[in-house]
């Protein structure tokens, strides 16, 4: 439906005449990591990061990316966790490519502190791009509404559009070719007892980025044809489970959704696999714990690490079963 736009045209349309005149010396922002319970895997438009399906995530409260940005005359200067990065660093080229969409002539000093290892499948790019958009909005005093911020964040990394919000967030896939109806919304739901923790299986950079992994899956995986129907079922089940605080229903739909997403990847040619032996060991430990009566479910993203879903009341038993668990307590 409608006409496709270039990313620069989307930005112009969203900014609607706002300028690049700084309102202050430095823009500052925080955005949370989000973990998808129903995953986004596959694009219908690669330039605009428009997804094939909707997805649903939970944001992780105070865990995320803190970004400061200030205009500079010379070349870009980028610090990640207090380490200055060289121009050759992929993180710098990705940031630059994104900032070029706004104004190729403007350079910046950017400081980002990430609470999670970058590029390890813990959604650091989602919180990173969301924090960057929020920091630009702060620097230039644009005062954009959350929907506009979500659309801008999506252009950096699809899942970043969900990190504009805390809580449970649905990224509505939309139908328009220009993607103006493809953005995240916060669900009117709350579940303070629901917990997400993660088990680090490796902090090494992943073998293939999510962008290339998705593309190869969509283009070559025989199982991808089944994915949109799976998402439609899981999304409905997960929303209902959230509304009813039904943990078993939530956990089983979320775990099955993550495994099905990875199955589409394994069926790609050549296969896309983010799993390490430790990933399988951890998954089996989760299944065994569940068989023994512990309510715990797993989900995984484009990386080897495993996230656990559990309830606050089971925290002590979960900690005893998984001593290596990093707990997070979303707001
Ligand atoms: O936004 P990207 O390109 O980093 O893709 C993220 C995709 C997954 O993390 C695997 C799933 C999701 O919905 O977050």
């Amino acid at each position: 439906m409608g006409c496709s736009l270039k990313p620069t045209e989307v930005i112009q349309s969203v900014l609607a005449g706002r300028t690049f005149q700084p309102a202050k010396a430095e823009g500052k922002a925080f955005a949370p990591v989000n973990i998808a319970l129903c995953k986004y895997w596959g694009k219908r438009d690669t330039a605009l990061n428009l997804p094939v399906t909707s997805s649903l995530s939970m944001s992780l409260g105070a865990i995320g990316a803190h970004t400061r940005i200030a205009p500079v005359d010379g070349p870009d200067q980028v610090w990640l966790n207090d380490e200055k990065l060289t121009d050759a660093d992929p993180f710098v080229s990705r940031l630059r490519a994104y900032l070029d969409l706004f104004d190729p002539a403007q350079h910046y000093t950017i400081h980002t502190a990430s609470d999670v290892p970058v590029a390890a499948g813990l959604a650091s790019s989602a919180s990173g791009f969301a924090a960057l958009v929020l920091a630009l909005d702060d620097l230039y005093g644009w005062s954009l509404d959350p929907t506009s911020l979500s659309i801008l964040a999506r252009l950096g990394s699809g899942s970043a559009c969900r990190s504009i919000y805390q809580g449970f967030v649905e990224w509505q896939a939309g139908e328009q070719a220009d993607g103006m109806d493809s953005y995240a919304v916060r669900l009117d739901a709350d579940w303070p007892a629901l917990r997400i923790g993660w088990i680090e299986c490796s902090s090494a950079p992943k073998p293939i980025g999510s962008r290339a992994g998705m593309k190869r899956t969509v283009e070559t995986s025989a199982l991808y044809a089944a994915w949109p129907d799976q998402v439609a079922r899981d999304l409905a089940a997960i929303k209902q489970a959230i509304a009813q605080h039904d943990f078993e229903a939530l956990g089983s739909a979320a775990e099955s959704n993550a495994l099905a997403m990875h199955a589409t990847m394994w069926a790609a040619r050549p296969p896309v696999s983010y799993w390490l032996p430790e990933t399988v060991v951890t998954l089996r430990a989760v299944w065994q714990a569940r068989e023994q009566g512990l309510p715990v479910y797993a989900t995984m993203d484009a990386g080897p690490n495993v996230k656990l879903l559990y309830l606050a009341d089971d925290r002590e038993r979960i900690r005893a079963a998984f001593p290596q668990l990093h707990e997070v307590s979303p707001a």
Side-chain angles (χ1 to χ4, degrees), residues 34-36 38-41 43 55 94 123 125-126 157-160 162 171 206 210-211 214 261 265 300-302:
N34 77 74
I35 303 295
C38 185
K39 308 292 183 187
Y40 147 58
W41 195 252
K43 305 179 195 201
S55 55
R94 224 176 138 190
S125 74
S157 165
S159 56
R162 300 186 308 236
W171 174 9
K206 47 195 170 190
S210 53
R211 184 172 292 250
M214 275 183 208
M261 173 182 75
M265 301 182 202
M300 289 108 7
D301 292 290

